[in-house]
Amino acid sequence: MMIAKKISQIQTLIIDGKEVGGRSDETILQVARENDIFIPTLCHLDGLSEYGGCRLCIVHVKGLPRLVPSCTTLVREGMEVTTNSEDIIEYRKGILSLLFAERNHVCSVCVSNGHCELQWLALKLGITHVEFPYIYPKMPVDATHDRFIADHNRCVLCGRCVRVCHEVEGAHTKDVMGRGITSRVITDLMNNWGESNTCTGCGKCVHVCPTGALSEKGKSVAEMEKRRQFLPYLKRMRERS
Amino acid sequence: MNEQQGVGAKGQEDRRIRMVERTMRMYGNEPHALIETLHTIQESYGYIDTDLMRFVSEKLGVPLSKVYGVATFYHFFTLKPQGEHTCVVCTGTACYITGAKNIIDEIGKQYDIKPGETTSDNKLSLLTARCLGACGLAPAVVFDGVVAGKQNPESVNETIRRWFEK
Ligand code: SF4
Ligand code: SF4
Ligand code: FES
Ligand code: FES
């Protein structure tokens, strides 16, 4: 007997005035990128599940009362999407500014200076100053691991490290504790990373981290470059097996 | 859990852990039992400590960091408080009608704290539990993990006073 396979249908929609086509199981973000339409993202990473947490990828869909995250919204026939009106760009700048204000992002002394996605996004969106008062929290730095460092001052809580550790490595050493302003990425029961029995030391979390929050030891300012090519590859190989 | 049994309250520690195990069993020891299990711990211990989180993580097959994340996300849960000593007053029905409120009021008067608070010198944390499973010994109070039955404001005061003497 033939197993009925869910067939995804082709949908036609309009993004920024351009008529495009996508499969019904694709998100607005995916279809936009296939068509070279730029939408900024932070928590999204090809190869990981969608989280919809950072809201940088918000777009306007005609008929909907609110802006929606394009990374978690599937395309539908006849949709009319706007990805970069002035309003949307202002909102995105606001979101990014809040991220800068919430922790301590002093790029000039950061291991990821020049290779940081947060920095890149700020440049790309044209953020020259942050209007919100900085909170300057005193966040700990965990340097207990032999090879890695976690500096919570640079963390934007995108959750990529949590997802890669759970979904790809299968260790689920990391998660997020608390809520709101008290949220923090943790190792096991908020233990020191170096004492973790669940961490395999694979380093995946370090390489998917968009900022200098997770880095390799021994790297000095601006030396930490992340490698992510492994991710789509691992995902494809696992789907096959 | 490294405490000895309180005098006259033999087996109370087991009773509490058995309530926790029962909740997990009711949900087939499956990961989705996590929140209910944490509720049971909160209600029978007054707070959630690391050893119990470890225990639950293992039993239910939920990663440690996930357990910790859930336990700190909901305001309903309290992690082990800051105080050097903890005093958990049971406010379940049996304990309440036999005088739990007087005990809480007395501690409040002596040390100027409400349930959920810790004294400014970090010496004492006061908490409440919903039922320790020691109703026969009501009113029951747990001093640093040791269950003591048939308490009254004077006896509780006496025990706490000894902590402050040291
Ligand atoms: S090094 Fe690997 S196992 Fe350890 S926390 Fe990072 S992703 Fe998880
Ligand atoms: S440590 Fe890095 S990857 Fe993890 S949540 Fe923070 S910024 Fe994202
Ligand atoms: S990329 Fe869509 S919400 Fe973060
Ligand atoms: S009501 Fe206090 S022990 Fe049951």
Side-chain angles (χ1 to χ4, degrees):
Chain A
M1 205 181 99
M2 266 206 14
I3 298 167
K5 204 178 162 209
K6 211 180 125 213
I7 296 164
S8 43
Q9 288 166 333
I10 297 298
Q11 315 277 314
T12 8
L13 61 152
I14 294 170
I15 304 182
D16 295 342
K18 186 174 161 192
E19 197 161 305
V20 296
R23 293 193 321 267
S24 53
D25 61 350
E26 281 187 302
T27 62
I28 297 176
L29 177 68
Q30 281 173 306
V31 175
R33 292 208 167 155
E34 282 157 20
N35 288 281
D36 293 322
I37 296 165
F38 172 74
I39 300 176
T41 55
L42 188 56
C43 66
H44 164 89
L45 191 64
D46 284 340
L48 296 181
S49 67
E50 300 297 353
Y51 172 50
C54 76
R55 304 272 144 175
L56 268 185
C57 68
I58 44 172
V59 294
H60 182 255
V61 175
K62 198 172 168 192
L64 293 186
R66 267 184 295 258
L67 298 174
V68 294
S70 59
C71 68
T72 55
T73 310
L74 298 179
V75 294
R76 261 189 296 103
E77 181 66 32
M79 247 182 184
E80 279 179 51
V81 182
T82 313
T83 71
N84 53 14
S85 67
E86 244 166 61
D87 281 9
I88 297 175
I89 292 173
E90 277 316 303
Y91 278 128
R92 288 186 187 140
K93 282 187 180 176
I95 294 168
L96 262 190
S97 302
L98 285 172
L99 287 179
F100 276 99
E102 204 173 292
R103 298 274 168 103
N104 304 300
H105 296 278
V106 192
C107 304
S108 55
V109 295
C110 179
V111 285
S112 287
N113 193 8
H115 315 289
C116 170
E117 284 181 49
L118 187 64
Q119 198 179 35
W120 183 84
L121 282 165
L123 266 167
K124 179 92 183 170
L125 298 189
I127 294 186
T128 46
H129 64 284
V130 173
E131 290 158 41
F132 307 103
Y134 282 77
I135 296 177
Y136 293 123
K138 283 201 177 65
M139 301 296 289
V141 176
D142 181 350
T144 56
H145 196 278
D146 290 347
R147 289 183 293 128
F148 312 128
I149 298 181
D151 181 351
H152 297 285
N153 294 291
R154 315 258 195 249
C155 174
V156 293
L157 295 169
C158 68
R160 287 188 191 177
C161 55
V162 175
R163 280 173 287 150
V164 83
C165 186
H166 171 67
E167 296 168 11
V168 186
E169 177 60 10
H172 204 127
T173 299
K174 301 222 177 269
D175 211 308
V176 177
M177 68 151 279
R179 59 161 76 195
I181 199 81
T182 67
S183 302
R184 225 186 87 180
V185 168
I186 50 164
T187 303
D188 298 333
L189 299 174
M190 192 130 153
N191 302 116
N192 288 331
W193 197 352
E195 286 150 22
S196 171
N197 289 324
T198 60
C199 174
T200 64
C202 69
K204 290 184 180 67
C205 54
V206 173
H207 285 278
V208 300
C209 177
T211 69
L214 301 181
S215 63
E216 284 168 354
K217 275 193 174 168
K219 294 275 197 296
S220 72
V221 174
E223 276 186 3
M224 185 67 215
E225 279 189 68
K226 310 269 169 114
R227 288 169 281 117
R228 312 219 162 97
Q229 9 4 343
F230 69 87
L231 199 50
Y233 168 78
L234 284 182
K235 186 167 181 246
R236 226 177 325 120
M237 288 328 229
R238 278 182 199 181
E239 277 165 0
R240 258 185 221 173
S241 62
Chain B
M1 284 137 282
N2 50 359
E3 55 256 9
Q4 356 65 312
Q5 297 296 334
V7 183
K10 243 185 159 325
Q12 296 313 323
E13 178 58 24
D14 288 345
R15 196 80 66 85
R16 284 184 289 167
I17 199 76
R18 261 187 269 138
M19 294 200 275
V20 175
E21 284 174 324
R22 207 183 96 219
T23 304
M24 294 196 279
R25 223 175 20 249
M26 245 158 55
Y27 291 87
N29 289 319
E30 294 284 338
H32 67 257
L34 178 60
I35 292 190
E36 277 311 315
T37 310
L38 292 178
H39 270 281
T40 305
I41 297 177
Q42 177 72 46
E43 287 178 0
S44 48
Y45 285 83
Y47 60 84
I48 302 175
D49 85 349
T50 329
D51 287 341
L52 282 167
M53 284 194 269
R54 220 171 266 288
F55 176 68
V56 169
S57 154
E58 200 158 297
K59 267 271 177 306
L60 301 180
V62 179
L64 291 169
S65 57
K66 177 113 205 170
V67 175
Y68 198 91
V70 171
T72 52
F73 181 82
Y74 295 100
H75 293 309
F76 183 83
F77 302 129
T78 323
L79 293 200
K80 188 169 169 44
Q82 294 302 308
E84 193 185 319
H85 296 284
T86 54
C87 175
V88 184
V89 180
C90 179
T91 55
T93 315
C95 295
Y96 198 84
I97 58 174
T98 50
K101 186 162 184 309
N102 294 342
I103 295 177
I104 293 174
D105 289 346
E106 176 66 17
I107 302 175
K109 210 165 75 203
Q110 297 289 335
Y111 300 97
D112 194 24
I113 45 172
K114 291 197 288 291
E117 294 180 350
T118 300
T119 53
S120 51
D121 60 0
N122 260 344
K123 196 93 182 174
L124 172 70
S125 296
L126 176 62
L127 298 147
T128 57
R130 274 270 289 280
C131 176
L132 312 169
C135 310
L137 296 168
V141 177
V142 194
F143 298 101
D144 280 345
V146 183
V147 180
K150 305 240 182 272
Q151 294 293 297
N152 55 52
E154 290 71 41
S155 64
V156 170
N157 238 336
E158 179 55 24
T159 310
I160 297 178
R161 196 179 50 75
R162 266 183 268 131
W163 283 340
F164 276 83
E165 268 172 7
K166 277 179 227 156

